[in-house]
Amino acid sequence: YAASALATITANTRQSEEVVGTALKTIFARIQGLNLGETLDDGTTLNKYSEALQNIGISIFESNGQLKAMDNILNELGAKWETLGEAEQVALAQTVGGARQYTTLISLMDNWDTFQKNLTSAKTAEGTIQK
């Protein structure tokens, strides 16, 4: 999944794998970010990055309260991306990705169809090298 995201972004931005990999690591950490509550009863709350996703209807939690896998969160965001206006897309990407990584998130989301093709190719390529 991560390799497909990396391939999609590097092909579209011409940034190095190291730069894109660092950006993805930062974005992924932010998306699943939580804050500890102020008291033991508070448990955890969403940080501003995951709250931004919540505001567009994407929860980082499963129905049982467990954190969703990053793949699932990104799939939901990819499916919803085109329904957002350009201003919403930029604002969300800037909030989640920050000043340095937001263009990486935009590149992935704007090329979601290419990412899906890369992912399908990667999933069906198992054993190809050995053959």
Side-chain angles (χ1 to χ4, degrees):
Y1 199 93
S4 296
L6 183 72
T8 301
I9 296 165
T10 56
N12 288 293
T13 64
R14 302 293 184 219
Q15 292 178 318
S16 72
E17 292 86 359
E18 293 83 13
V19 169
V20 173
T22 299
L24 286 174
K25 183 173 61 171
T26 300
I27 291 167
F28 294 169
R30 286 178 170 187
I31 286 174
Q32 286 186 318
L34 298 169
N35 295 320
L36 289 176
E38 294 193 16
T39 69
L40 292 177
D41 293 332
D42 287 343
T44 58
T45 58
L46 300 176
N47 66 15
K48 68 180 180 179
Y49 313 113
S50 52
E51 192 172 69
L53 291 170
Q54 184 73 38
N55 289 339
I56 62 163
I58 298 173
S59 175
I60 65 165
F61 295 108
E62 298 286 355
S63 59
N64 63 6
Q66 297 296 312
L67 280 175
K68 283 183 186 172
M70 182 55 60
D71 300 3
N72 294 337
I73 295 169
L74 287 177
N75 286 338
E76 289 180 32
L77 181 56
K80 183 164 270 208
W81 188 255
E82 289 187 7
T83 69
L84 302 174
E86 185 177 352
E88 284 180 297
Q89 291 173 345
V90 171
L92 179 65
Q94 287 178 338
T95 300
V96 173
R100 294 185 182 166
Q101 286 85 16
Y102 83 94
T103 56
T104 301
L105 183 58
I106 288 175
S107 178
L108 179 60
M109 292 297 115
D110 281 351
N111 296 287
W112 193 250
D113 57 336
T114 301
F115 166 75
Q116 292 295 323
K117 290 175 189 172
N118 289 341
L119 186 59
T120 299
S121 293
K123 285 181 178 180
T124 59
E126 187 175 340
T128 301
I129 293 175
Q130 287 78 14
K131 289 178 186 176

